[in-house]
Amino acid sequence: MAITKILARKGRLDVGIHYVLNGDKTQEQILTAHLNCEPGRELRQMLETKSQYDKEDGVQYYHMIQSFRPGEVSPELALEIAQTLVEEHLPGYQAVIGVHVDKEHIHAHIIFNSVNADTGEKYHSSPQSYYRQIRAISDRLCREHGLSVILEGQGARAVSYAEWLRQTRGQPTFRAMLEADLRDAIQDANDLGHFFLLMEHKGWEIKHGNRLGFRLRGQDRFMMPGRKKSLFTEEGIRAAIQGELSAIEQGLRPAIIPRPAYRPFRPHPKYKGFLALYVHYLYLLGKARQRQYPPRMTPQLRQAAAQAERYRQRFYFLRDNDIATPEDMAAFLTRTEDALASLTKQRTIFNVRKKKRQVLYTALADVEALAIAKELYEDGVSGMEEQLARYLDAVARLEGCGCSREQLLREKGGGVPAACRGEPPDPPRAAEAGHMPGDPERGAANGAQYPIYDGTRGGETR
């Protein structure tokens, strides 16, 4: 079964083309096709057609959607049906086709220029053109490929959707029918627009406004289920379509996340009238005084506090590293410099090795990226010969290197010690300006050479 829909758009043409040809939805643009335009130049050619016939205002393009039942059609067959539909219904129009497979159900998006490239006529969409051409051609193509179609009533024998449900469900209420259809449409839809399309195909007329209203043909009033159940509000439906329907029904999360109401800033009101006079007399009688703020810290006091903090950090560093004499400090610095030199040497060796194996890393990336091209070539898809050759060359290069792919992945991803990845440990940080205990030779000028406490013991680096 294929559900079709056509939308007239007055927005930017490049935005619609980019959405249809999205590589994440079309398997890197493999499931795409072009009619009367060249790949990569479709936008320029459509704009040139509009400019040639001086019809650049109004509707810029039309967006047609053809959705299939989950598991009923393959992506290649959906692309073939969409191409045939465009060729039969839109001769002379420049069109771009993309089959999206990012949802459970496969659906084809078709964007075509509003101006015919051969005649210069603008396309006009109406209910008659939809039912007699688009819908009829789509149903015929589905029958030819063995797919199900939406059955339509014939003449006076046709019954409304509500009457059919009453016959099959034993006279349920309209509200129960509406909620059942809402839940089915939420589960099948991939976005809010698709949800509205499914509800319309189920026979419901939709009223948009502060609340969503639904009614069947023949009913006088709209039913608004969102009044009693927040799940059926527009925000609740959007959240449920995103995959959170079960959590909402179980009460694990609200359908609408409450947001605090905006409250503008309001200054404290001033005392007026008798209250102001009362507060004034309290101040005169000494019962109420002005608020006393703490005195500001002077520059001398701030400098003294900073110096005390530096002394505290130096003391903790000396205590935790068992440094009591200048000789202990010199030994600590020697150990730290030796460790830094050793780690720097390891980092150099690793960088040289990584540079030599850059060709293997490139081959490993090609194998991962071109694996899908190999599968498509084996399935008989044409145009994959160049990608297959690159894939086989990369595989041969990896097999002849003498290293396993797991080892290359670990090296490429940084599966080595932190020091070998080019990140030497932080050297002992220097103490702030001032005299170090036990070393009067170093004063404020070179006090930055003294390390401070860094949370380790025994001179171990972090």
Side-chain angles (χ1 to χ4, degrees), residues 191-453:
D191 54 25
L192 192 61
H194 190 201
F195 166 80
F196 291 145
L197 174 64
L198 294 177
M199 291 300 296
E200 291 175 354
H201 277 282
K202 289 178 180 291
W204 294 97
E205 182 181 352
I206 304 174
K207 176 184 178 182
H208 299 273
N210 294 334
R211 293 188 180 92
L212 291 177
F214 302 86
R215 71 177 181 184
L216 291 171
R217 296 183 181 89
Q219 286 185 311
D220 296 331
R221 297 182 178 181
F222 286 91
M223 292 181 290
M224 299 183 180
R227 289 178 175 176
K228 295 184 178 181
K229 295 184 179 180
S230 58
L231 170 63
F232 300 128
T233 60
E234 186 169 342
E235 294 182 2
I237 293 173
R238 183 182 289 105
I241 291 175
Q242 294 176 355
E244 302 171 349
L245 176 60
S246 59
I248 295 175
E249 293 178 344
Q250 297 175 7
L252 301 179
R253 69 172 301 276
I256 300 177
I257 300 177
R259 300 176 181 176
Y262 171 73
R263 294 182 179 180
F265 172 75
R266 295 181 179 178
H268 192 277
K270 295 183 178 181
Y271 294 123
K272 298 180 180 179
F274 180 78
L275 181 59
L277 183 61
Y278 172 72
V279 174
H280 176 66
Y281 281 126
L282 287 178
Y283 175 74
L284 295 178
L285 296 175
K287 299 299 183 180
R289 297 187 179 277
Q290 294 182 352
R291 184 177 299 175
Q292 299 293 330
Y293 294 94
R296 297 181 58 185
M297 182 178 292
T298 62
Q300 294 79 6
L301 182 58
R302 187 181 296 107
Q303 184 177 4
Q307 187 176 11
E309 178 65 20
R310 289 196 295 269
Y311 285 155
R312 183 181 67 85
Q313 293 179 355
R314 293 174 186 176
F315 172 74
Y316 287 162
F317 174 78
L318 296 173
R319 182 194 63 182
D320 293 341
N321 291 279
D322 297 329
I323 299 175
T325 62
E327 291 76 12
D328 296 339
M329 174 60 71
F332 176 79
L333 291 176
T334 302
R335 293 195 304 270
T336 304
E337 292 174 356
D338 294 342
L340 181 61
S342 176
L343 294 176
T344 303
K345 182 178 180 181
Q346 295 180 20
R347 181 187 64 181
T348 303
I349 296 175
F350 174 74
N351 289 337
V352 172
R353 181 191 307 169
K354 189 173 183 180
K355 185 175 181 180
K356 291 181 178 179
R357 295 187 177 181
Q358 187 62 40
V359 178
L360 299 179
Y361 298 154
T362 304
L364 186 63
D366 290 343
V367 169
E368 296 178 357
L370 300 176
I372 186 173
K374 175 178 175 295
E375 298 177 0
L376 292 175
Y377 181 81
E378 294 176 351
D379 293 340
V381 179
S382 61
M384 297 288 108
E385 291 76 8
E386 181 179 354
Q387 290 81 354
L388 179 64
R390 289 177 52 193
Y391 175 82
L392 297 177
D393 184 31
V395 170
R397 186 171 298 174
L398 290 177
E399 292 178 353
C401 69
C403 298
S404 62
R405 296 188 181 182
E406 292 76 9
Q407 181 180 355
L408 293 176
L409 285 173
R410 287 195 302 269
E411 293 182 359
K412 181 180 178 182
V416 294
C420 296
R421 293 198 301 265
E423 302 175 2
D426 298 336
R429 293 180 295 174
E432 311 299 338
H435 295 282
M436 279 293 296
D439 193 353
E441 295 289 335
R442 305 188 180 188
N446 54 5
Q449 301 177 9
Y450 295 100
I452 61 173
Y453 171 66

Side-chain angles (χ1 to χ4, degrees), residues 129-141 143:
S129 65
Y130 171 76
Y131 284 103
R132 295 178 183 177
Q133 299 179 22
I134 299 177
R135 179 74 174 275
I137 296 175
S138 177
D139 291 347
R140 177 175 58 81
L141 294 175
R143 292 191 188 96

